[in-house]
Amino acid sequence: MCSSDLSEQNTDNQSPKKFSDLGLSDSILGVLDSIGYETPSPIQEQCITHLLKGEDIIGQAQTGTGKTAAFALPLLDNIDLNLNAPQLLILAPTRELAIQVSEAVQTYARGMKGFHVLPIYGGQSYDIQLRPLKRGVHCVVGTPGRVMDHIKKGTLKLENLKSFVLDEADEMLKMGFIDDIKWVMERIPEQRQIALFSATMPTVIKRVAEEFLNKPKIVKVKTKTETATNIEQKYCLVGGLSQKLDALTRILEVIDFDAMIIFARTKTLTVELAEKLAARGFTAEAINGDIQQSQREKIIGKFKKGGIDILVATDVAARGLDVPRISHVVNYDIPQDAETYVHRIGRTGRAGRSGEAILFVSHRERRMLNNIERVTRQKITPIELPTAKIINEKRVNDFKKKITETISNQDLSVFEKLVGEFQEANEEVTHIKIAAALAHIAQGNEPLFLSEKEPSFGRDQKPGEEKIVPVQPNSLKNHPDIPMRRYRLEVGNSNNIKPGNILGAIANEADMESAYIGSIQIFDKFSTVDLPDEMPKETFEVLKKTIVNGNRLNIVELTDKNNKATVGGAQGGKRNFGRKKFSKDSRGGPRGGSRDGGRGRGRGGEGRDDRGNRKPKFSRSKPKK
Ligand code: ADP
Ligand code: MG
């Protein structure tokens, strides 16, 4: 047994059947033996039995349950190799899937001498497809549109067709293929066998089944194991866009992964993210519907072989992808629904390996998280992001490991000679100094370590000093006429909060452009932020519940009463906080100019109090009590 999700399902049966009990031919059994399939998965067991009897079937099962073999094995056994014409037609939703299924069919048919299978799909020239079609193929796997074209042109003849398979029917429906599918199904011979597979059963699919299938047997795999148990599922609470990228980079640094697929919501995002990861030294590529299909194929090929380690994909582009080396799935953007989640994480834990799925969740998305847990009936474990300290420890270990590896694996003679010469000429320089200098060169300008320093206190305050924040807000640099109000947030230095966290959370959760987010000051136990006076009530409600670093913001208007803060003091005066994190690549657009906090540097001297805070200018901005 290769795949433990398959075996998991088998435990429901008292005695799992063997492939040899099902009535498959010796040539097929020989292949299964050689590729290491030991026992049939539940869907295989049932489908094979029915299909060998000549019955129609509807198979309902999640991805990764072994559907391809479930229909391919028995239907291949039905093929007459002496008849040089298409006898088995399989429709698949995408080019990638058509190719994948065609490859699987090719493998399963290894023992059938003279057997030919051909994938046909849009985007490839007709010529390439015409030649083998003319020469004669026994099985065609195609996408609906192109199959239709070939039937219309008369280049794909269906009169000898014995069986027909609709793979991933619901997906084809989603992609708008339903009319094409019906068109094809109306043209297959009366005497034929049909197998329809779908993860879900929308009404339209049911109707197709009723119309075209002949007393189908329904084979359903229990939902209990909808998500494979060999996939460890985790989630991580993250704030804004740039926090996600930061979170991802940290995770990538500490986990050991073989290959990873990252799901992003949009095509543009896949490209942006792949570029950012590439800039950080990972071999990453994007795949999405906009990328030319031949190019997509190349990328997937490279990914399979290990030339690429990270694939950033949209749902459609990664649909059904079967790449055993995928050890990790990252849901960078939360999926639209639980079903998509199941499909996504099913890209890992293939063929008996174990896999890990990590889901990024913002506060607003927690409901979807609950929904996913409910539908999959599995708990998803929360994880903390690795701290700078952990990352630094890892970097030290990696650094040492690299030295050991280089010493044992590389020919260093040239450098040994050079370093020797250098040492002779500079006797006073120790070996360690030389090695350190070389390490420095190798490291380049990037510092080896992340900063582990806790945020320091504002320079103008001493720890322990009691501090009262002006209740009056600063105005925005770019919109000085917008009345502002100062708010208190129940997170501060003691929660390890940095202005960037607050900025990110507000920008992301309240969908507020950062140009409208004013001064942020961090104290030990709380923080303040200046926001437009006319902020909608809903936004305020969202912010109340927003969580940053695991703590609720509990935003309230800052008043003199709730304003005392001891220790720590404002951080807002430091200019460099969070700057880098929230530079262009996070949201674009103008940055809130007043995030230099209370200091108001470079904004002229007048109208400010002794800390440089601008004195209130708008009567409207006076806090209501
Ligand atoms: P689905 O179409 O249901 O998503 P696939 O047909 O792509 O699933 O199969 C998923 C993976 O499981 C493939 O890598 C396949 O080779 C493997 N597999 C299928 N059947 C078996 C089996 N009986 N034993 C071991 N591995 C299997
Ligand atoms: Mg499949």
Side-chain angles (χ1 to χ4, degrees), residues 2 6 19 37 39 44 62-68 322 350:
C2 279
L6 300 173
F19 278 115
Y37 287 12
T39 45
Q44 288 169 355
Q62 292 296 341
T63 185
T65 47
K67 290 189 287 289
T68 319
D322 184 23
R350 309 291 286 184

Side-chain angles (χ1 to χ4, degrees), residues 404-464:
T404 315
E405 275 170 14
T406 310
I407 290 173
S408 51
N409 300 334
Q410 300 293 330
D411 177 9
L412 299 174
S413 46
V414 174
F415 290 111
E416 276 172 76
K417 185 165 169 285
L418 276 178
V419 173
E421 282 171 17
F422 179 89
Q423 238 262 312
E424 260 170 44
N426 302 275
E427 274 172 12
E428 75 291 354
V429 182
T430 61
H431 283 104
I432 288 195
K433 253 289 182 299
I434 297 174
L438 294 173
H440 187 88
I441 295 171
Q443 178 67 21
N445 286 332
E446 271 294 300
L448 178 61
F449 294 121
L450 289 179
S451 162
E452 292 177 28
K453 263 206 203 111
E454 293 302 312
S456 53
F457 302 134
R459 230 178 284 156
D460 50 350
Q461 282 131 19
K462 295 177 198 77

Side-chain angles (χ1 to χ4, degrees), residues 64-124:
T65 47
K67 290 189 287 289
T68 319
F71 62 78
L73 302 178
L75 297 180
L76 281 174
D77 256 350
N78 233 350
I79 282 175
D80 176 2
L81 289 171
N82 296 317
L83 176 60
N84 204 8
Q87 298 167 51
L88 167 59
L89 173 62
I90 303 166
L91 290 191
T94 63
R95 175 185 172 130
E96 282 80 14
L97 277 180
I99 293 172
Q100 198 171 290
V101 169
S102 158
E103 282 171 359
V105 166
Q106 182 75 64
T107 306
Y108 299 143
R110 236 189 249 160
M112 298 165 59
K113 254 194 133 195
F115 171 84
H116 291 292
V117 55
L118 178 72
I120 59 176
Y121 38 77
Q124 190 186 44

Side-chain angles (χ1 to χ4, degrees), residues 226-296:
E226 263 178 342
T227 59
T229 46
N230 57 332
I231 302 171
E232 244 187 279
Q233 299 177 58
K234 299 169 177 174
Y235 77 88
C236 178
L237 275 179
V238 286
L241 270 183
S242 60
Q243 277 193 37
K244 275 192 189 179
L245 184 61
D246 182 48
L248 180 64
T249 333
R250 284 186 180 217
I251 287 172
L252 285 174
E253 244 196 85
V254 295
I255 58 169
D256 271 327
F257 69 97
D258 189 1
M260 172 182 287
I261 183 157
I262 300 175
F263 285 95
R265 204 166 16 89
T266 65
K267 297 171 193 169
T268 334
L269 263 170
T270 59
V271 175
E272 280 175 17
L273 193 53
E275 278 170 4
K276 281 177 187 153
L277 292 174
R280 284 164 168 77
F282 297 100
T283 50
E285 291 273 359
I287 52 163
N288 62 50
D290 279 354
I291 292 171
Q292 270 221 337
Q293 295 193 313
S294 57
Q295 181 62 16
R296 253 202 273 176

Side-chain angles (χ1 to χ4, degrees), residues 458 460 474-478 486 499-500 503 514 517-522 528 530 570-579 591-604 608 611-614:
D460 50 350
N474 299 324
S475 58
L476 294 171
K477 186 178 170 197
N478 294 327
R486 182 157 287 180
L503 180 70
S514 51
I517 303 173
S519 298
I520 297 172
Q521 300 184 67
I522 312 274
T528 66
D530 297 351
Q571 266 250 301
K574 302 202 74 163
R575 284 192 63 96
N576 60 347
F577 58 66
R579 275 281 150 139
R591 306 283 102 203
S594 42
R595 248 166 303 113
D596 51 352
R599 193 172 285 185
R601 240 202 262 173
R603 281 198 276 137
R608 289 170 200 287
R611 292 198 57 245
N613 284 324
R614 188 188 272 261

